[in-house]
Amino acid sequence: MVKLKEIFLEKINENKDLNKREKKLFVGVDIGRLKNQVAFLSKDRNADLRKREKVENSFWGFMKLLEYIEELIAQESITMENVIIGIESTGHYWKNLYNFFLEKNIEVVMVKNKTVKLKREIKYPYKGKNDSLDSVCIALSLKDDDYIRIRKSNENYESLRILSKIKDERVKANTQNKNRIIKWLDKHNQTYLKTFVDPYCKTGIALLKCFPGEADIKEKTVDEIIEILRSNNSKNKLQYRKISEYYELLIDILNNIKEIPIGARKEIENLIRLFEDTENYLETLQKDIDELSNEMELPVERFSRLKGLGKNEILDLISEIGMIENYKTSKHLQAYCGLRVIAYKSGEYQIKKPKISKAGNRKARRILFYMALILIARNPDWRKLFAYYLSYNRENQKSKKEMLIAVASKLCRTIFGMLKNDTEFDRKLLFRGLDFSKCNKERFINEYVGEKRNWVITDEELEELFGKSNTKKLF
């Protein structure tokens, strides 16, 4: 079982959703890679409407399941609108079934794995676990309204998410490959690392392709080396001054350097080929992402104007969030990103320290956390917010990591408001509701300017936040 990453975790409220009262046929499906176990329950009866079936997890199996549902619709004198299908989150195996019945206008919802487990322990405590039993427990969960809606999406958002995922995988693979290049250079060509500050620059890569080993330039002048590089790299402008520096470092020690073995030569040849192919592919992939975002008319430029936020981070986050219409309030988006705070109390006694749920989309939470770090480091308004959280007078002082999570949560709510209302960033809304009179002013200033005193806060800024009294600098 996997965590629900693509599901909008919104509990259906009976008082707000009248459609639930219309559901009369509950179909529980325990999803498998090849076979699905199906149970059928009615609203008015506890027993199965018909025997439990096992169908293929394929188009033909879905057609067979549709036949069973149509038979029961005729038998119970109901309509398709009265049918609801419940599934468990089982990898990606449920998606084809969901898409098939979505086209047939039959509602398909998700039941949490924990809900099925608890239902099985309560209803059938002595029967163990099997697929047939799980399908019944899923159907029972539907009857008790213990399910969640599947988050809506469309082809463009799905494509953007896939492209973003491919990009992340390629960047990760490219980073690993770069580390292997550095490892090779440490063993076979340390002079290269002394010469080139950026070991992956075009001039350096061109040199490694032609002369990977230090001894490869024996019996050659610097002009001959440059001519060879020029003939092999006619499209790229190379820094020939760096080639001269590299040659001068080696000229006095060439007689003491050995040729690199054939294995090492083939290894660096393979690593450079992988590096160049990946760099070219990433460049093409980024163009595809930019074209798709322009086609979708995403408000990327609006967020980019917020100092500290980059275009790529915004696109990655939007690809994970998906359609903003799926979230009624900012709290729903915050919960989807796993930033909802969970408290553990019994009466007045606190059992555990409150913490974020970490449920939902892990990647979106990681992006928000990274963006919060960048904003605190580069944006004065968000740095003031971080200093406010740290200097606020509390009974139990919070750590910097906890306050960083608070900034990420605030950023999540801000992004929701900008997307939902189609508005620009408003710094007044950022500080709305904050009471600076309850802050330790000296600590606020110390936290803002930082340990290295890289930041400066003026009297005017302090007056704006704390008022006119006592705005003298404390540093």
Side-chain angles (χ1 to χ4, degrees), residues 212-390:
E214 295 168 324
D216 293 342
I217 66 170
K218 280 183 178 180
E219 301 178 356
K220 286 185 173 59
T221 64
V222 67
D223 292 333
E224 290 175 339
I225 295 172
I226 290 175
E227 186 61 32
I228 292 172
L229 295 179
R230 185 182 286 120
S231 62
N232 291 335
N233 298 272
S234 56
K235 295 182 179 180
N236 296 327
K237 293 183 179 180
L238 303 181
Q239 297 177 345
Y240 299 113
R241 177 178 57 81
K242 284 290 183 181
I243 305 298
S244 300
E245 291 178 12
Y246 178 76
Y247 185 83
E248 289 173 5
L249 285 174
L250 285 177
I251 195 66
D252 295 330
I253 59 173
L254 279 177
N255 294 330
N256 300 321
I257 297 175
K258 295 181 180 179
E259 294 279 346
I260 59 173
I262 184 63
R265 194 176 295 276
K266 290 296 181 181
E267 181 184 12
I268 192 62
E269 181 183 328
N270 178 57
L271 293 175
I272 291 174
R273 184 182 294 113
L274 288 174
F275 170 76
E276 290 183 328
D277 291 346
T278 305
E279 288 289 320
N280 292 333
Y281 185 80
L282 284 172
E283 186 177 344
T284 305
L285 192 63
Q286 187 60 51
K287 290 181 181 178
D288 293 336
I289 292 174
D290 292 339
E291 289 176 3
L292 182 58
S293 66
N294 292 333
E295 181 184 336
M296 297 169 66
E297 298 182 350
L298 296 177
V300 178
E301 295 299 328
R302 182 189 308 162
F303 289 99
S304 299
R305 287 193 287 271
L306 187 57
K307 185 178 179 181
L309 292 187
K311 179 180 178 181
N312 292 335
E313 289 78 14
I314 291 296
L315 284 174
D316 288 343
L317 182 61
I318 292 177
S319 71
E320 293 301 316
I321 291 174
M323 299 170 61
I324 199 65
E325 292 79 12
N326 287 324
Y327 312 98
K328 293 182 179 179
T329 68
S330 59
K331 290 184 178 179
H332 291 141
L333 177 58
Q334 192 172 330
Y336 174 71
C337 295
L339 293 172
R340 183 168 59 90
V341 177
I342 299 175
Y344 298 89
K345 286 187 176 182
S346 179
E348 298 297 325
Y349 178 69
Q350 182 172 299
I351 302 172
K352 292 182 181 179
K353 190 176 181 180
K355 61 180 183 179
I356 58 173
S357 65
K358 293 188 178 181
N361 194 307
R362 184 184 304 172
K363 183 180 176 182
R365 183 170 64 256
R366 187 176 69 246
I367 294 171
L368 282 168
F369 192 81
Y370 173 75
M371 290 167 66
L373 279 172
I374 299 299
L375 285 172
I376 291 169
R378 299 181 182 177
N379 191 295
D381 290 331
W382 287 88
R383 189 172 182 83
K384 289 172 186 174
L385 179 69
F386 182 57
Y388 169 84
Y389 286 147
L390 287 172

Side-chain angles (χ1 to χ4, degrees), residues 106-244:
I106 298 179
E107 185 177 6
V108 183
V109 295
M110 187 71 70
V111 179
K112 281 187 174 182
N113 303 331
K114 288 184 178 179
T115 303
V116 176
K117 181 180 178 180
L118 291 172
K119 193 74 67 177
R120 186 174 61 244
E121 291 175 352
I122 294 170
K123 295 287 185 179
Y124 309 101
Y126 306 112
K127 290 191 175 182
K129 180 192 182 305
N130 57 63
D131 294 344
S132 178
L133 205 59
D134 282 351
S135 64
V136 176
C137 291
I138 293 171
L140 288 171
S141 299
L142 298 180
K143 289 186 68 174
D144 295 337
D145 303 326
D146 291 327
Y147 57 86
I148 50 181
R149 284 185 177 134
I150 297 175
R151 194 165 59 98
K152 294 178 183 179
S153 185
N154 60 35
E155 290 183 358
N156 285 337
Y157 279 102
E158 187 66 19
S159 297
L160 184 63
R161 188 187 65 81
I162 292 172
L163 290 176
S164 178
K165 183 180 179 181
I166 294 172
K167 180 184 172 183
D168 284 348
E169 291 173 350
R170 286 301 184 107
V171 168
K172 184 178 179 180
N174 200 31
T175 301
Q176 293 174 344
N177 191 53
K178 285 180 177 180
N179 292 336
R180 291 170 65 189
I181 291 175
I182 295 297
K183 180 181 176 181
W184 189 94
L185 292 170
D186 283 334
K187 291 169 63 177
H188 302 291
N189 196 338
Q190 294 183 350
T191 308
Y192 178 92
L193 294 174
K194 287 184 178 182
T195 306
F196 295 94
V197 177
D198 179 12
Y200 315 109
C201 65
K202 292 181 179 179
T203 303
I205 294 298
L207 180 66
L208 284 178
K209 288 171 70 175
C210 297
F211 308 100
E214 295 168 324
D216 293 342
I217 66 170
K218 280 183 178 180
E219 301 178 356
K220 286 185 173 59
T221 64
V222 67
D223 292 333
E224 290 175 339
I225 295 172
I226 290 175
E227 186 61 32
I228 292 172
L229 295 179
R230 185 182 286 120
S231 62
N232 291 335
N233 298 272
S234 56
K235 295 182 179 180
N236 296 327
K237 293 183 179 180
L238 303 181
Q239 297 177 345
Y240 299 113
R241 177 178 57 81
K242 284 290 183 181
I243 305 298
S244 300

